[in-house]
C-alpha cells in the first residue's frame, strides 16, 4: 500500500464540502480529547513525519504518538493529549512547534515537544490534515484532503478554513507544504499538481506538471533550486523559483516520501521498498541504492549523530 494512502486509511476519509471561514477552539470542542497511549516500546510504533526542534528530533505517528530524541540514538515518548494519527510536524525554533493529523487535529508545544496542547479538533467532520507550516510564531497554514486548508494568525489558538484555489485544482489532496526563500511557498499535491505562492500563502496559482501521480514531499535547496517527489519514483526539479519543473530520472519506481539536504550540500531521498537516492549536484542527477531489507521508509531527519530514518512498520533505522 502506498504511504500516503496508508496514512489516509488510518481513519475513515469522507469528502466534505468546504464551509465559510470558521474557527474551532478547545473551548468549542469540549473535553473529548484522549491521551495517546504510553507504549512499552514506542520506537516500534509507525512514524509518518519527523523534523528538528533545535538539535532535537521530533517524530509523529499513529495513535497520537510523538517520539523525541536529543542524540538521534535514544528516543522517548512525549505526553500527547490525542489519539488521532499525526501526519506532520513543524517547529519554528527549539521550543515552539505544531503537529497535525486526522480528525482535523492541531496540537501545539512550547517546550520542544515535551508536552502538547490541543488547539483544534473536528471529530465527526472527517477532516484529515496532511501538513503544517508556520511563517513565524503567529502565522501558520495547515493543508489536507480534498483541498482542505486552514490558517491561523494567533499562533494556532484559532483556525479559519480557506479555499486556496477555485475549481478542480483547489479540490485536490494537498499533501505537503514546502517553504522556499523570500516568501515562496509550495504545496505538493495529487495528480502532478504543485500549488505556488510568492507571498507566504496569501495568493496561490497552480502549476500543472506532466507527472500523472501525486507529489508527496518536497524541499527547497540551499542553492535556490527546488525538488518535488512522490509516487512511483517521480522526482521533479525547478531552477526558476517553481515556475517550471522538469523530471529528473530516479532509477526507481518506488514511491518517495522524504528529502533532506546534508551540510555538505548533498541531497538524500528515501522511500518505499528500501529506495534511497543521493545527489551531489543539487538534484540534477541521482544515484539509487536499495536497502537489503527493503524497509518502507516514511520519513527522514538529520541529527547530530547522522540521519535517522523512520518507517510505517514500527522500525527505526539509525544510519
Amino acid at each position: 500500500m502506498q504511504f500516503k494512502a496508508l496514512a489516509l486509511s488510518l481513519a475513515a476519509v469522507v469528502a466534505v464540502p468546504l464551509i465559510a471561514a470558521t474557527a474551532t477552539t478547545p473551548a468549542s470542542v469540549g473535553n473529548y480529547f484522549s491521551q495517546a497511549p504510553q507504549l512499552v516500546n514506542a520506537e516500534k510504533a509507525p512514524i509518518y513525519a519527523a523534523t528538528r526542534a533545535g538539535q532535537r528530533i521530533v517524530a509523529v505517528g499513529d495513535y497520537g504518538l510523538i517520539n523525541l530524541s536529543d542524540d538521534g540514538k535514544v528516543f522517548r515518548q512525549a505526553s500527547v493529549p490525542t489519539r488521532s494519527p499525526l501526519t506532520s510536524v513543524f517547529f519554528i525554533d527549539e521550543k515552539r512547534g505544531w503537529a497535525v493529523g486526522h480528525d482535523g487535529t492541531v496540537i501545539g508545544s512550547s517546550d520542544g515537544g515535551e508536552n502538547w496542547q490541543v488547539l483544534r479538533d473536528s471529530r465527526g467532520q472527517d477532516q484529515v490534515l496532511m501538513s503544517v507550516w508556520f511563517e513565524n510564531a503567529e502565522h501558520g497554514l495547515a493543508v489536507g484532503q480534498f483541498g482542505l486548508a486552514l490558517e491561523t494568525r494567533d499562533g494556532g489558538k484559532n483556525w479559519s478554513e480557506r479555499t486556496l484555489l477555485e475549481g478542480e485544482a483547489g479540490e485536490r489532496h494537498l499533501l505537503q507544504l514546502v517553504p522556499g526563500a523570500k516568501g515562496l511557498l509550495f504545496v505538493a499535491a495529487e495528480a502532478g499538481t504543485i500549488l505556488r505562492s510568492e507571498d507566504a500563502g496569501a495568493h496561490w496559482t497552480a502549476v500543472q506538471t506532466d507527472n500523472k501521480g501525486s507529489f508527496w514531499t518536497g524541499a527547497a535547496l540551499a542553492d535556490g533550486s527546488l525538488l518535488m517527489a512522490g509516487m512511483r519514483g517521480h522526482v521533479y526539479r525547478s531552477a526558476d523559483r517553481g515556475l517550471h519543473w522538469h523530471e529528473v530520472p530516479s532509477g526507481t519506481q518506488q514511491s518517495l516520501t522524504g528529502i533532506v539536504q546534508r551540510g555538505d550540500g548533498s541531497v538524500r531521498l528515501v522511500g518505499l521498498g528500501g529506495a534511497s537516492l543521493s545527489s551531489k549536484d543539487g538534484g540534477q542527477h541521482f544515484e539509487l541504492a536499495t536497502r537489503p531489507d527493503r524497509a518502507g521508509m516514511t520519513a527522514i531527519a538529520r541529527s547530530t549523530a547522522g540521519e535517522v530514518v523512520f518507517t510505517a512498520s514500527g522500525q527505526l533505522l539509525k544510519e
Side-chain angles (χ1 to χ4, degrees), residues 88-104:
S88 178
V89 59
F90 184 88
F91 274 74
I92 60 169
D93 55 33
E94 65 181 8
K95 294 296 185 183
R96 293 170 294 179
W98 299 262
V100 300
H102 289 243
D103 303 313

Side-chain angles (χ1 to χ4, degrees), residues 66-116:
I66 297 182
N67 281 344
L68 310 174
S69 176
D70 293 317
D71 60 7
K73 300 177 181 179
V74 178
F75 282 78
R76 66 185 186 281
Q77 190 175 353
S79 176
V80 183
T82 182
R83 291 188 177 220
S84 296
L86 300 173
T87 56
S88 178
V89 59
F90 184 88
F91 274 74
I92 60 169
D93 55 33
E94 65 181 8
K95 294 296 185 183
R96 293 170 294 179
W98 299 262
V100 300
H102 289 243
D103 303 313
T105 300
V106 183
I107 59 177
S109 175
S110 60
D111 59 5
E114 297 285 355
N115 298 280
W116 297 80

